[in-house]
Amino acid sequence: MKRLNDNQQYRETIILYKDQIKKQKKQSTSLIINQVLKACIELDDIKCGKDIHKNLSSYMLNNQFIENNLIRLYMKCGDYEKSKQIFLNSKNKTTPMFNNILNGLVDNNQCNEALNLFKDNNIPTNEYTFSILFKICSQINDRYSLQFGKEAFNQMPKNYYNSIVAITSALHMFTKCGDISKAEQLFNQIKKKNLIVYGAMMNGYLENNMEQRAVDLFFQIEKPNEIILNIFFNACAQLKTKNALNLAKNVFDQSIIKSNDLLLCSVLNMFIKCDDLENAQILFNRIDRDIIAYGSMMKFYNIKNQPLKTLELYQKLKDENFKPDKIILNLFFNACAQLKTKNALNLAKNVFDQFVIKSNDLLYSILNMFIKCDDLENAEILFDRIDRDIIAYGSMMKFYNIKNQPLKTLELYQKLKEENLKPTEITFVLLIDACSEIGDLSLSESLVCQIPESFLSNLYIRNALIDLFGKVGLPSKSKEIFDMIEHPDNVSFAAMINAYGLNGMGIEAIKIFHNIPSNMLNNAIYVCVLNACSHSALVNQAQEIFQNIPSDQRTEQIYTTMVDSFSRVFLFDQAQKLIDEYEKYHSPSAPMYMSILSSARNAKNILLAEKIFHRIELNFANNESYLMSAQVLLANTYALIGEKFMSSYIRMKIKPSNTKNTVGCSWTVVDGKVYKFRAHDRSHSRSSEIYEELDRLTKNLIEHGYKYDESWITRELDENETTQSVLCGHSERLAIAFNLIQQPIPDRIQIVKNLRVCGDCHLVIKLIAQIYQRLIVVRDVNRIHHFYPNGKCSCQDRF
């Protein structure tokens, strides 16, 4: 039986034992029991070992060798309590028995119990005991245990310093606790260093981010084995320097490791971490690839923005009959998301439809792919299928915000509350952004009341709230929140300046700007303050700010906002000079020309409008979107000066274009619900009441001196249309009329419009505010108008 065990023929040992029991029908000797127990331990045949234990006599149970093997047996099956019981009940505790119980507890992740057992016993120790102790202290890895291990090392008999087992374990312990000087001292004392010692020291260097020392030590080794080579390549990978890469290449070329796939994968990992795509590809094509190698290379291609190569590898992996795991599929869907093409999306859908995915991580990856590919329909379908957590809700909320569907974001908020999920700070930032888009004060205040008190000190939430209250026309509330921030960042300053700018409070915006430390000024802040100056006609202040911006920091956006400042007050020569200055060193900018063209329309300056339009045609012939917008502005300019024929002619040229016009739309909130109106909309259930109110309103307006300004009708009328029917059907008038039929009429009427308010509507809303003695707040695409009960507008008619 001993010979069989020595030859690792453990099954034959057990068979021989069972035959002996059947034939002799008497108790086996202690030597036989020991051999069969060893075989059971090696084979993990716990059942056989337990059966043998059950039938042992009390005499046999007191045999220290049998006790030792029983301890090993029960430790092997994870029953460390049974092992401990055998050890504690033993009358013949030996050092090997003590070592086995300690080692078994370590293998069963019971290091704290092992350390306590070590302290509570006075059993003689040997070098293996100290080796296990140092291993225990390394694995617990807290201050107390490491200090205990150091003290034990100082008390260790000097003759154990020649034990490679004990010294290597101590070396590992010292590097684990960051005491590299002690580890190096110990390492240098070892006269006959073997590869295990070198490996322990190199690993210690790696664990303490001292990769260069690991590399230097490698070159002291005469014949490194595969383990040492693996550590070396990992050190080079962590260094990521050109020199380390060259050293690694030289070692790789000189080493005979071509058949070791594990080591080759380590070299591949090094090439990847060192960003060496060329050598990574060469090696990947040479090695006997496994699923891990495929995953590493696919991830590298994704990082290098080569998603097509990732998809090629995925197909290759399938051709080699590998079954894609969760990691591979995740990388595949990420590559499809990077491509964002219809073909990639279809490919992803085909893969998605072929297998049953149960991993939520992977489903989130697919959801992320649909979002990145702008596929709202499939994102919604998948979102309804998955086991949603707060992160999934956040992803979907962000997508709805990007798609300008803030109402759906708010609907998701109700849904996550029903599912008893706790919103995070990020969730509330997304909800605040949705309310900012809707632009209603009452709805916003309702949400803010639900934000936990502990979240209100979060800087991201405070910045979002500053932006929110600015966009709902309450900049005083924005300032109140801004003043609560002890250390505002550049986002805080930009949000506050923008809140003032939107609401026509340019002077206040400039005051905030001048309080910003110079090291915090950035492009966003400059653009916000110049826009604020532009909307308040503070052109001199804008010029002063612009001149103080370092020339190398004047971006296209900054130039555009300054051009806009000049154009809004009809200083077209200065605007053109600024464009000429910009174009000395840059390509022409469409937004600058569009700004002048828009103001030329407002000034009814057809000569300038034609000139700028032709410049746009010349410079941006391939940009259909800008060309169409420019044609509309030019047609509007002709219409404003009464040239309806020319206006219609230009519009006829637009019609064949594939680009769709933006449909005018306004929305308002009544009793917590958002109502949308398009121009001449009759889809509302109370449309008849709304249009009756519009008729009454029109008569009332005429009695107060109102006259239709038909110049704002930029097209020829159809046979069944009149000036009144066209102008009264504008979406913001329908939204206001809807508010006026409420009982009672709201004190504050709030409207958001996706286009610019026309001049005729602007005049009408001023009169309505005065007649009904209501504050009417209208946010259009450019700014926020506060129509006061005194018949004035905060924009001072600069719209």
Side-chain angles (χ1 to χ4, degrees):
M1 289 174 73
K2 185 177 185 305
R3 192 181 303 117
L4 288 171
N5 278 347
D6 289 344
N7 291 321
Q8 299 182 0
Q9 294 175 279
Y10 307 115
R11 180 60 59 196
E12 284 79 0
T13 298
I14 294 173
I15 292 169
L16 188 60
Y17 167 75
K18 289 180 177 179
D19 286 344
Q20 185 255 350
I21 293 292
K22 286 178 183 177
K23 289 176 183 176
Q24 296 186 3
K25 295 182 181 179
K26 64 178 181 178
Q27 182 69 52
S28 300
T29 66
S30 59
L31 292 174
I32 291 173
I33 296 297
N34 264 317
Q35 291 301 325
V36 74
L37 283 175
K38 283 180 183 179
C40 291
I41 292 165
E42 294 296 334
L43 288 175
D44 285 341
D45 193 341
I46 308 302
K47 184 181 181 305
C48 179
K50 284 183 177 180
D51 289 341
I52 292 168
H53 180 201
K54 189 169 56 178
N55 294 312
L56 289 177
S57 66
S58 58
Y59 171 76
M60 289 283 194
L61 287 172
N62 286 324
N63 182 292
Q64 60 178 305
F65 299 105
I66 291 176
E67 284 178 318
N68 199 15
N69 278 322
L70 287 174
I71 287 170
R72 291 178 60 212
L73 175 77
Y74 285 105
M75 280 295 183
K76 194 77 182 281
C77 69
D79 192 349
Y80 53 87
E81 288 295 338
K82 185 70 173 175
S83 290
K84 269 177 60 184
Q85 182 187 347
I86 294 169
F87 173 75
L88 294 173
N89 292 337
S90 174
K91 296 175 183 177
N92 302 298
K93 295 184 180 70
T94 63
T95 301
M97 196 186 296
F98 188 41
N99 290 346
N100 278 330
I101 195 77
L102 291 176
N103 215 26
L105 287 170
V106 172
D107 291 341
N108 282 277
N109 297 314
Q110 300 297 317
C111 291
N112 283 304
E113 194 163 345
L115 187 58
N116 291 332
L117 189 65
F118 179 88
K119 294 175 189 174
D120 293 340
N121 279 275
N122 296 315
I123 299 168
T125 58
N126 60 15
E127 64 267 34
Y128 296 104
T129 316
F130 278 96
S131 171
I132 297 164
L133 173 64
F134 299 146
K135 184 179 178 182
I136 290 166
C137 294
S138 297
Q139 290 198 18
I140 297 175
N141 196 24
D142 61 17
R143 203 164 102 186
Y144 173 78
S145 59
L146 290 170
Q147 186 59 36
F148 183 85
K150 285 183 180 181
E151 290 171 2
F153 176 79
N154 293 332
Q155 296 170 16
M156 186 174 74
K158 298 297 178 185
N159 61 313
Y160 291 174
Y161 278 53
N162 296 321
S163 167
I164 290 295
V165 173
I167 293 302
T168 305
S169 187
L171 195 65
H172 179 66
M173 180 183 68
F174 286 123
T175 58
K176 194 77 174 178
C177 65
D179 194 345
I180 291 296
S181 60
K182 182 67 177 175
E184 288 178 327
Q185 181 187 347
L186 185 60
F187 177 79
N188 292 328
Q189 287 176 358
I190 303 172
K191 293 178 181 178
K192 293 183 179 179
K193 301 180 182 71
N194 63 10
L195 293 178
I196 296 172
V197 175
Y198 276 109
M201 195 66 228
M202 287 177 70
N203 253 331
Y205 282 137
L206 282 192
E207 287 175 356
N208 287 274
N209 300 315
M210 301 169 77
E211 298 87 359
Q212 189 58 54
R213 290 200 192 181
V215 170
D216 294 340
L217 184 58
F218 170 80
F219 288 103
Q220 296 178 25
I221 303 170
E222 191 174 336
K223 291 182 179 179
N225 62 11
E226 290 166 353
I227 294 171
I228 298 292
L229 284 166
N230 192 48
I231 298 170
F232 167 74
F233 289 128
N234 284 335
C236 292
Q238 287 184 37
L239 279 171
K240 299 180 184 177
T241 62
K242 191 172 182 180
N243 183 53
L245 182 62
N246 289 333
L247 285 173
K249 283 181 184 175
N250 290 335
V251 170
F252 176 61
D253 290 337
Q254 294 169 18
S255 303
I256 306 172
I257 58 172
K258 313 307 177 189
S259 61
N260 188 311
D261 290 328
L262 184 64
L263 194 53
L264 287 170
C265 283
S266 180
V267 179
L268 176 65
N269 178 59
M270 179 201 65
F271 286 138
I272 289 171
K273 283 191 175 178
C274 292
D275 203 33
D276 187 344
L277 180 59
E278 182 183 354
N279 276 297
Q281 288 179 141
I282 292 169
L283 182 58
F284 179 80
N285 291 327
R286 280 173 48 190
I287 65 175
D288 186 9
R289 297 174 293 272
D290 61 5
I291 198 83
I292 297 171
Y294 268 106
S296 299
M297 204 64 203
M298 288 171 74
K299 184 179 180 181
F300 194 22
Y301 279 134
N302 279 356
I303 291 169
K304 299 293 286 183
N305 294 315
Q306 296 191 27
L308 280 174
K309 292 279 185 74
T310 302
L311 299 187
E312 287 173 11
L313 278 194
Y314 177 79
Q315 188 54 52
K316 198 169 186 178
L317 173 150
K318 295 273 287 180
D319 293 342
E320 292 185 10
N321 294 320
F322 282 108
K323 186 178 179 181
D325 60 13
K326 185 173 77 172
I327 294 170
I328 295 294
L329 289 169
N330 193 28
L331 293 165
F332 168 78
F333 289 121
N334 282 338
C336 292
Q338 274 188 44
L339 281 170
K340 300 181 185 178
T341 62
K342 191 174 182 180
N343 185 50
L345 187 60
N346 289 333
L347 183 62
K349 284 179 185 173
N350 288 337
V351 172
F352 177 56
D353 293 338
Q354 291 168 13
F355 51 83
V356 179
I357 300 176
K358 294 182 180 179
S359 164
N360 245 24
D361 290 343
L362 191 52
L363 289 169
Y364 288 159
S365 178
I366 300 167
L367 178 65
N368 179 59
M369 178 201 66
F370 286 138
I371 289 171
K372 283 189 175 179
C373 292
D374 202 33
D375 187 345
L376 180 58
E377 183 183 353
N378 277 298
E380 288 178 325
I381 292 169
L382 181 57
F383 181 79
D384 288 336
R385 278 179 50 188
I386 64 176
D387 184 13
R388 297 174 292 274
D389 63 5
I390 200 67
I391 297 171
Y393 268 100
S395 298
M396 205 64 201
M397 285 176 164
K398 186 177 180 181
F399 194 20
Y400 279 136
N401 284 354
I402 292 168
K403 298 293 285 182
N404 296 317
Q405 296 193 29
L407 287 176
K408 289 199 172 180
T409 298
L410 297 185
E411 286 171 10
L412 282 190
Y413 177 50
Q414 297 305 318
K415 196 168 185 177
L416 74 85
K417 286 195 292 186
E418 290 167 8
E419 293 183 10
N420 295 318
L421 290 172
K422 281 191 175 181
T424 63
E425 286 100 329
I426 294 170
T427 313
F428 278 110
V429 168
L430 293 166
L431 290 166
I432 293 167
D433 288 345
C435 285
S436 295
E437 176 67 21
I438 294 169
D440 180 75
L441 177 59
S442 60
L443 200 64
S444 301
E445 288 179 331
S446 173
L447 172 70
V448 173
C449 289
Q450 299 178 59
I451 301 175
E453 190 73 27
S454 59
F455 286 6
L456 290 174
S457 59
N458 180 281
L459 184 59
Y460 293 107
I461 286 184
R462 283 181 170 176
N463 288 343
L465 288 174
I466 292 169
D467 179 67
L468 169 67
F469 284 110
K471 285 180 178 173
V472 298
L474 204 62
S476 59
K477 184 68 176 175
S478 295
K479 183 62 165 60
E480 184 184 317
I481 295 165
F482 178 80
D483 288 339
M484 292 167 64
I485 303 174
E486 189 174 351
H487 300 291
D489 62 4
N490 6 37
V491 177
S492 314
F493 282 114
M496 191 63 240
I497 291 170
N498 195 53
Y500 276 141
L502 280 174
N503 289 276
M505 301 171 70
I507 297 294
E508 290 81 354
I510 292 169
K511 284 180 183 175
I512 294 286
F513 173 76
H514 286 310
N515 286 328
I516 303 175
S518 57
N519 65 324
M520 292 183 71
L521 294 172
N522 61 13
N523 181 67
I525 289 173
Y526 285 132
V527 169
C528 285
V529 74
L530 290 174
N531 267 330
C533 292
S534 179
H535 288 150
S536 296
L538 301 173
V539 71
N540 292 331
Q541 291 89 330
Q543 269 189 292
E544 183 183 345
I545 291 168
F546 180 80
Q547 292 301 328
N548 286 324
I549 300 173
S551 56
D552 62 334
Q553 293 181 31
R554 293 178 190 170
T555 63
E556 180 183 351
Q557 279 182 301
I558 289 172
Y559 268 97
T560 301
T561 49
M562 193 63 227
V563 167
D564 190 63
S565 294
F566 284 133
S567 300
R568 281 180 183 273
V569 292
F570 303 156
L571 295 174
F572 296 119
D573 288 342
Q574 287 93 322
Q576 187 60 62
K577 283 178 185 175
L578 203 59
I579 290 178
D580 293 340
E581 177 188 310
Y582 177 81
E583 289 183 357
K584 283 181 184 178
Y585 306 102
H586 306 89
S587 300
S589 164
M592 293 184 203
Y593 283 104
M594 294 298 290
S595 179
I596 294 185
L597 184 55
S598 178
S599 293
R601 174 202 58 188
N602 296 348
K604 300 180 182 179
N605 188 334
I606 190 60
L607 292 177
L608 178 63
E610 288 175 336
K611 174 187 170 185
I612 297 299
F613 177 75
H614 291 312
R615 292 285 292 272
I616 292 171
E617 271 192 316
L618 178 67
N619 290 312
F620 310 103
N622 295 323
N623 193 317
E624 190 175 356
S625 176
Y626 276 122
L627 276 178
M628 198 199 81
S629 298
Q631 284 174 312
V632 170
L633 285 171
L634 182 61
N636 288 352
T637 311
Y638 276 118
L640 286 171
I641 64 170
E643 293 280 355
K644 294 291 175 69
F645 174 78
M646 281 299 295
S647 177
S648 296
Y649 173 72
I650 292 169
R651 286 181 176 278
M652 283 174 61
K653 289 168 66 177
I654 296 172
K655 282 183 181 178
S657 167
N658 291 325
T659 308
K660 294 180 180 179
N661 283 321
T662 303
V663 177
C665 177
S666 296
W667 56 91
T668 188
V669 176
V670 172
D671 295 331
K673 187 176 178 183
V674 180
Y675 294 90
K676 281 193 174 186
F677 297 90
R678 289 176 287 106
H680 311 289
D681 198 342
R682 290 186 178 272
S683 62
H684 196 278
S685 59
R686 299 182 68 182
S687 280
S688 58
E689 294 176 72
I690 292 169
Y691 279 94
E692 285 171 11
E693 180 61 30
L694 279 175
D695 289 338
R696 286 193 297 272
L697 187 58
T698 301
K699 291 173 185 174
N700 209 346
L701 290 168
I702 290 170
E703 288 174 7
H704 283 77
Y706 164 65
K707 291 181 181 178
Y708 293 108
D709 186 351
E710 65 177 315
S711 67
W712 290 97
I713 301 176
T714 57
R715 58 177 175 80
E716 292 184 343
L717 300 177
D718 294 335
E719 288 182 7
N720 59 342
E721 289 181 321
T722 64
T723 300
Q724 177 181 332
S725 69
V726 171
L727 292 173
C728 287
H730 282 187
S731 62
E732 59 267 51
R733 296 199 199 187
L734 296 175
I736 290 171
F738 179 62
N739 276 274
L740 294 176
I741 63 173
Q742 302 304 313
Q743 293 296 328
I745 298 172
D747 293 330
R748 187 182 198 269
I749 296 174
Q750 188 143 17
I751 311 293
V752 179
K753 182 176 171 66
N754 69 336
L755 298 174
R756 180 173 164 270
V757 173
C758 80
D760 191 69
C761 285
H762 194 269
L763 174 61
V764 163
I765 300 171
K766 285 198 296 183
L767 287 170
I768 295 173
Q770 187 176 27
I771 292 167
Y772 284 87
Q773 286 295 288
R774 294 291 190 277
L775 171 64
I776 302 177
V777 180
V778 178
R779 188 179 88 197
D780 70 9
V781 74
N782 279 336
R783 62 180 306 145
I784 295 175
H785 303 261
H786 296 255
F787 297 95
Y788 300 112
N790 64 2
K792 303 290 184 183
C793 179
S794 61
C795 78
Q796 300 174 44
D797 296 340
R798 287 188 291 268
F799 55 89

